[in-house]
Amino acid sequence: MGNADAEVPMIRLSYNDVHNSIQQCAAKIQKEFEPTLFIAIGGGGFIPARILRTFLKTTTEGKKRNIPIQAVGLTLYESMGGIAEVVGKEVVRTQWLDFSTLGKTFKHGGLLGRRILIVDEVDDTRTTLIYLIRELQKDIDEQLQLIENTEDREKLRETTKLGIFVVHNKLKEKAGELPSGVQYFAAQETPDVWLAYPWECDGQIEEHDAMRSQNPKP
Amino acid sequence: MGNADAEVPMIRLSYNDVHNSIQQCAAKIQKEFEPTLFIAIGGGGFIPARILRTFLKTTTEGKKRNIPIQAVGLTLYESMGGIAEVVGKEVVRTQWLDFSTLGKTFKHGGLLGRRILIVDEVDDTRTTLIYLIRELQKDIDEQLQLIENTEDREKLRETTKLGIFVVHNKLKEKAGELPSGVQYFAAQETPDVWLAYPWECDGQIEEHDAMRSQNPKP
C-alpha cells in the first residue's frame, strides 16, 4: 500500500499542520486587513474559519471580542468544467447570508463598512471564490443604493472591503481573475496535487499523520 | 507554569482526540438515526460537523453523497444566567437556516421528512440546544400547517426527526430537559471541567498536545 500510494502525487496534512499554517498567516491578515466579519464557505471553510477566529479578535470598548462568522454553502458542479466563460453558472448556493440577523447586528444592511474576509480551505480553480466575490459585490451594491446621502454612500463604498483567506493556494491556471481591490491571503502555496486534509481521513488518523513522511519534498 | 496549570481542573484535547471520538460515535449515529441533514451550531459546531460528515454519507441512486450542512449562529449571553425560567431569552440568533435554498433542495419547505442532526462541540448547560430544538420545532410546525392533506401531514410529522450530536456532554445540572423523541448522542461524557479544545489554542499547539499528560485520569 505504501508503494502504490507513493506514486500518487499527494500531500497529507495533519490537523496541527493546518493549525500552524493558519496561526502563522494570522498576524499578516491582522496587520494588512483587520477583518471584522468572516464568511466561511461550507463545508471546507468551516474548520479554517473557526481556527482563524482564535487568532484574530476585534477590540470594542477595551474588550477583546470574537469576530462573527457567517456561513455560506456553495457547491461546485465540477462536471460542468471550470472554464472562464461559465464561472458562476456551475456554482449552486445551498445557504446564503442571513441578512435578517446580520442587519440587526450591523448597520447598513449588514455588509457596508465591514472588512469581510472570505475563508475556505483551498483555492483550486478559483471558480467558487470568483462566484462568491461577484455575488457579495451585488449585495453590497444593492445595500449602497439604499443610502440616500451621496457622501455617506461613497464613504461606505470606500470602507467596505472584501478579502480572501485560504489555507492552501494551488499554483495552477485559475478560472478567472479576482477583481482589483480584493486582498488575498494564502497560508501556503502548493503544487497542483491532491491535498489530503485530516478531516477527510476515514481511516486511522494516526496512520494518516505518519504517512506524511512520504509527502513530496518542497 | 506546569504546577499552576495542574491546579486548574482542565482536560486538554488534541485534534486527533476529537477526530477519533467523532469517528467512534459515527457508527452508532448511522445505525440509530441515519441523519439526512446536519445543522451545525456556529462557531463551536463547525469543526465537529465537518469531521462527522466524513464518516456519514447518504446513498442516492447507488452513489454515496455528502450530507448537507446548514449553519446556524447562536450566541449565549451567559451573564444572564442559565436557569430554566429564562431558557431561550438569553440566546441570540446571529444566523438562521436559509429556507430559500433549503426549500429548493428539499421538499416541503426544507425540514419535513428529514432526519435532522444538530451538531455542537459541547453540551454544557444545555441552554443553546434547548433553544434550538424549540425554534426548529416551531419552523417544522409552521411547515406542517402548509400541508393540506391530513394523511400526508401526519406522515411527514412522524418522519421528521430531530437529533443532537455533541462531542462532549458535561455531566452536570442542565437548564432543562429535551423533548421526548429527540435522540441524543455524545461521543464522550466528561466531568464538569474546562475542556481545552485544540482550536482554541493560541500558543504552541504541540505544547498543548504534550500537556495532555496532565489531564485528570478517568
Side-chain angles (χ1 to χ4, degrees):
Chain A
M1 183 174 164
N3 283 337
D5 276 8
E7 290 165 26
V8 181
M10 178 198 285
I11 298 177
R12 288 186 178 81
L13 300 150
S14 71
Y15 284 103
N16 285 3
D17 290 339
V18 173
H19 184 98
N20 284 325
S21 292
I22 293 172
Q23 187 169 19
Q24 281 162 30
C25 196
K28 184 179 163 73
I29 296 170
Q30 182 60 27
K31 191 176 167 199
E32 299 179 11
F33 193 74
E34 275 189 272
T36 56
L37 177 65
F38 296 136
I39 296 182
I41 304 179
F46 284 167
I47 293 180
R50 177 59 192 85
I51 297 173
L52 185 62
R53 196 178 77 170
T54 292
F55 304 115
L56 299 178
K57 306 277 177 190
T58 54
T59 306
T60 313
E61 297 162 8
K63 285 182 72 174
K64 290 207 166 187
R65 290 176 195 279
N66 282 330
I67 295 169
I69 304 176
Q70 281 261 323
V72 298
L74 299 174
T75 297
L76 182 63
Y77 283 96
E78 309 216 38
S79 59
M80 295 177 70
I83 54 169
E85 284 73 20
V86 294
V87 166
K89 292 210 181 76
E90 72 278 70
V91 179
V92 172
R93 294 183 183 190
T94 57
Q95 181 168 18
W96 197 241
L97 302 171
D98 186 345
F99 290 113
S100 72
T101 51
L102 256 184
K104 279 181 204 162
T105 317
F106 302 117
K107 289 177 189 169
H108 308 306
L111 295 176
L112 304 190
R114 297 281 141 192
R115 293 184 299 276
I116 304 156
L117 190 68
I118 294 162
V119 180
D120 207 351
E121 58 188 0
V122 63
D123 176 0
D124 188 70
T125 61
R126 196 161 284 177
T127 308
T128 310
L129 290 169
I130 290 170
Y131 171 86
L132 181 53
I133 289 282
R134 196 169 57 195
E135 295 299 298
L136 286 174
Q137 195 59 60
K138 282 184 201 166
D139 285 340
I140 290 168
D141 290 344
E142 272 179 29
Q143 292 178 12
L144 282 169
Q145 293 305 315
L146 300 175
I147 309 294
E148 293 185 8
N149 181 294
T150 310
E151 199 178 325
D152 288 351
R153 187 170 62 241
E154 292 315 308
K155 194 179 168 191
L156 284 167
R157 191 191 304 277
E158 270 174 42
T159 55
T160 307
K161 301 289 181 192
L162 288 172
I164 291 170
F165 169 68
V166 291
V167 185
H168 296 99
N169 175 31
K170 288 191 186 176
L171 297 172
K172 62 188 289 187
E173 198 182 343
K174 305 293 182 180
E177 292 197 6
L178 295 170
S180 66
V182 175
Q183 274 178 271
Y184 184 90
F185 302 91
Q188 303 276 342
E189 295 193 323
T190 72
D192 185 15
V193 298
W194 179 19
L195 301 175
Y197 287 105
W199 46 86
E200 287 167 358
C201 170
D202 61 359
Q204 290 297 314
I205 189 71
E206 292 79 9
E207 192 182 326
H208 166 96
D209 286 3
M211 288 179 76
R212 288 150 60 240
S213 62
Q214 296 178 19
N215 284 350
K217 299 292 168 275
Chain B
M1 183 175 164
N3 283 339
D5 277 8
E7 291 165 29
V8 181
M10 178 199 284
I11 298 177
R12 288 185 178 81
L13 300 150
S14 71
Y15 283 104
N16 285 4
D17 290 339
V18 173
H19 184 99
N20 284 324
S21 292
I22 294 172
Q23 187 169 20
Q24 281 161 30
C25 196
K28 184 179 163 73
I29 296 170
Q30 182 61 28
K31 191 177 166 201
E32 298 180 12
F33 193 73
E34 277 190 88
T36 56
L37 177 65
F38 296 137
I39 295 182
I41 304 180
F46 284 166
I47 292 180
R50 177 59 193 85
I51 296 173
L52 186 62
R53 196 178 78 170
T54 292
F55 304 114
L56 299 178
K57 307 278 178 189
T58 54
T59 307
T60 313
E61 296 162 8
K63 284 181 74 174
K64 290 207 165 187
R65 291 176 195 279
N66 282 330
I67 295 170
I69 304 175
Q70 281 261 325
V72 297
L74 299 175
T75 297
L76 182 64
Y77 283 96
E78 308 215 39
S79 58
M80 294 176 72
I83 55 169
E85 284 72 22
V86 295
V87 165
K89 293 212 179 72
E90 72 278 64
V91 178
V92 172
R93 295 183 183 189
T94 56
Q95 181 168 22
W96 197 241
L97 301 170
D98 186 346
F99 290 112
S100 71
T101 51
L102 256 183
K104 279 181 202 160
T105 317
F106 302 116
K107 289 177 189 169
H108 308 305
L111 295 176
L112 303 189
R114 298 281 140 191
R115 294 185 298 277
I116 303 157
L117 191 69
I118 294 162
V119 180
D120 207 351
E121 58 187 1
V122 64
D123 176 0
D124 188 69
T125 62
R126 200 162 280 176
T127 308
T128 309
L129 291 168
I130 290 170
Y131 170 87
L132 181 53
I133 290 281
R134 196 169 56 195
E135 296 298 300
L136 286 173
Q137 195 59 60
K138 282 185 203 167
D139 285 340
I140 289 167
D141 290 343
E142 273 181 29
Q143 291 178 13
L144 282 170
Q145 293 306 316
L146 300 175
I147 309 293
E148 294 185 8
N149 181 295
T150 310
E151 198 178 325
D152 288 351
R153 187 171 59 240
E154 293 315 307
K155 194 180 168 191
L156 284 167
R157 192 190 304 277
E158 270 174 42
T159 55
T160 306
K161 301 288 182 192
L162 288 172
I164 290 170
F165 169 69
V166 291
V167 185
H168 296 99
N169 175 30
K170 289 190 187 176
L171 297 173
K172 62 188 289 185
E173 200 182 341
K174 305 294 182 180
E177 292 196 8
L178 296 170
S180 67
V182 174
Q183 274 179 268
Y184 184 90
F185 303 91
Q188 304 276 342
E189 296 193 322
T190 72
D192 186 16
V193 298
W194 179 19
L195 301 175
Y197 287 105
W199 46 86
E200 286 168 358
C201 170
D202 60 0
Q204 290 296 314
I205 189 70
E206 292 79 9
E207 191 182 326
H208 166 96
D209 285 2
M211 288 179 76
R212 287 151 61 237
S213 63
Q214 297 179 17
N215 284 351
K217 300 292 167 274

